[in-house]
Amino acid sequence: MTGHELRRLASSGVSVRLTGLDRTRRAGGGLAALVRDQHVTGATSDPAALAASLADSGAYDDLLRALAARGVTADAAVRTLTAEDARSACDALAPVHRETDGADGHVSVALDARLARDAEATVQQARALVREVGRPNATVEIPATDEGLGAVTACLAEGIGVNVTLLFSPERYDQAREAHLAGLEQALAAGRALGPIASAAAFPLGRIDAAVDTLLDRAGVGASEAKALRGTAALAVARLAHERFTAHLTTPRWQHLAAHGARPQRLLWASDTVPEPGPRATRRITELAVPGTAHTMPEATMRAVAAHGAVVPRTWTRHSYDASRKKLAYLKSFGIGFADVASALEEEGLKKSHASWHSLLDAVSPALDEGRS
């Protein structure tokens, strides 16, 4: 994999982050090599990828045997595996974290998806995980449910960095941004340094286009107009979130926090699927090469960008934002209410996270049983 387009993406002011942490990648120094050669500046965990690695690679057999001998539960084993992978990734990204003075080089780690509707339990697990990982560039992932947003504020107030996930609409992003502001204000009131407190707001854009395109295909009227709208909803959402982000940076409330060292909550475009071959695979990533944002993607997507990407830094204008507003509003002509789509995607995202977490527990349990026998 050549790194020319990834280098161009990074040099345009975009943070390139890897999706998926596991021992198989670490065994060959994979993440360190991606940091060194492919301009990767962050990473996010993926319980589904870890479950697949447990099932296929045998890379965790020694650790699982040791955990089995201690008689730990599957839940405790998953926490240990997750923390170990996160710790190693944090170490690989430590040079980036130092060189950027904490602005980049973060590793965001998934919490137990079953806690998404329990703010207090989420905060408790976030504390325990950050303590176990024991690295300054470790952050936690919290979904943007009503309860999750309360946990976001509480974690940030304690100095725990947060990647807010499952954002599907500009309106939900407004709430995530408010949770970020409230958390930083509480941290400042408690006398905490704001500079080290990292946060990102993650939009799984591929899921937005997939959902809207399916509804457009079912519309049955205005076929040519519906076809023209396919593949445009996610970019419209991203632009409108960016409009809100840039306006927010001019507010007295934010400027007061920034004067005390606070960093903005970075917009993060999440690619959680492996793309089809060819130039179309990288379209969304190249269209979103917006300075100050971040892209998280599997290694296969990085290869596609390296092979087929044509990165040009983007500058969005008032015209871009207005056109995006009109695009989302036009969906109503086909009986599609985007607020309903976003709500359904949030519920679907929670179910998918639950399924991934259960698949991880299911992968760990037999290995622990075998280790005890």
Side-chain angles (χ1 to χ4, degrees):
M1 169 167 52
T2 61
H4 299 305
E5 292 305 319
L6 290 171
R7 184 185 305 117
R8 194 169 295 171
L9 192 61
S11 65
S12 70
V14 176
S15 175
V16 180
R17 303 184 180 186
L18 174 71
T19 299
L21 310 171
D22 58 60
R23 270 191 170 189
T24 56
R25 178 171 284 109
R26 285 158 36 206
L31 179 55
L34 289 173
V35 172
R36 183 184 63 247
D37 302 329
Q38 306 301 331
H39 313 283
V40 169
T41 56
T44 64
S45 68
D46 181 357
L50 177 55
S53 181
L54 283 165
D56 299 335
S57 71
Y60 294 87
D61 288 354
D62 58 338
L63 181 53
L64 286 169
R65 281 193 294 270
L67 292 171
R70 287 164 45 193
V72 304
T73 64
D75 284 293
V78 165
R79 288 194 295 271
T80 298
L81 298 179
T82 300
E84 187 196 67
D85 283 343
R87 193 178 303 114
S88 177
C90 284
D91 290 343
L93 284 156
V96 177
H97 193 250
R98 286 193 300 270
E99 289 163 11
T100 62
D101 194 26
D104 219 331
H106 301 107
V107 176
S108 64
V109 189
L111 301 178
D112 187 336
R114 296 169 296 181
L115 306 179
R117 299 291 188 189
D118 188 333
E120 184 177 351
T122 295
V123 175
Q124 289 175 354
Q125 189 178 65
R127 289 186 195 121
L129 180 62
V130 168
R131 185 167 54 246
E132 187 169 358
V133 174
R135 299 293 187 272
N137 51 336
T139 66
V140 298
E141 297 178 9
I142 300 177
T145 61
D146 290 336
E147 300 84 355
L149 291 170
V152 169
T153 295
C155 284
L156 292 169
E158 294 185 17
I160 299 171
V162 180
N163 180 7
V164 187
T165 63
L166 298 184
L167 288 164
F168 296 103
S169 71
E171 292 74 22
R172 200 55 147 171
Y173 166 61
D174 287 340
Q175 295 174 325
R177 196 175 63 253
E178 173 61 31
H180 177 243
L181 286 168
L184 292 184
E185 286 168 343
Q186 291 177 30
L188 181 61
R192 297 186 186 278
L194 301 187
I197 307 176
S199 186
F203 290 78
L205 296 179
R207 301 188 202 183
I208 295 174
D209 274 343
V212 172
D213 290 355
T214 297
L215 293 172
L216 286 168
D217 291 343
R218 292 175 184 169
V221 292
S224 59
E225 292 89 345
K227 185 176 181 180
L229 279 175
R230 292 184 92 261
T232 65
L235 180 59
V237 169
R239 283 174 171 167
L240 293 178
H242 188 263
E243 178 184 37
R244 285 160 158 79
F245 170 80
T246 54
H248 149 74
L249 295 181
T250 66
T251 63
R253 189 179 179 190
W254 170 252
Q255 290 178 349
H256 173 71
L257 291 168
H260 286 85
R263 301 182 192 274
Q265 183 183 54
R266 185 174 295 194
L267 292 170
L268 189 153
W269 320 124
S271 299
D272 58 356
T273 56
V274 178
E276 77 275 14
R280 284 178 57 83
T282 64
R283 178 180 62 84
R284 187 177 297 114
I285 290 167
T286 56
E287 284 179 345
L288 289 163
V290 182
T293 65
H295 279 281
T296 180
M297 63 191 90
E299 192 170 350
T301 304
M302 290 185 183
R303 293 193 197 99
V305 173
H308 304 291
V311 175
V312 177
R314 306 285 174 167
T315 301
W316 289 336
T317 64
R318 173 60 55 191
H319 174 75
S320 306
Y321 301 140
D322 289 343
S324 296
R325 239 184 309 279
K326 290 176 183 176
K327 259 191 182 118
L328 291 187
Y330 190 44
L331 291 173
K332 294 179 182 177
S333 303
F334 303 93
I336 301 170
F338 188 75
D340 294 332
V341 173
S343 179
L345 282 170
E346 182 179 303
E347 288 302 317
E348 181 184 300
L350 288 173
K351 289 177 182 176
K352 184 175 180 180
S353 297
H354 276 242
S356 295
W357 198 263
H358 281 292
S359 71
L360 183 51
L361 291 170
D362 290 344
V364 165
S365 295
L368 291 175
D369 292 340
E370 183 178 340
R372 294 188 187 105
S373 60

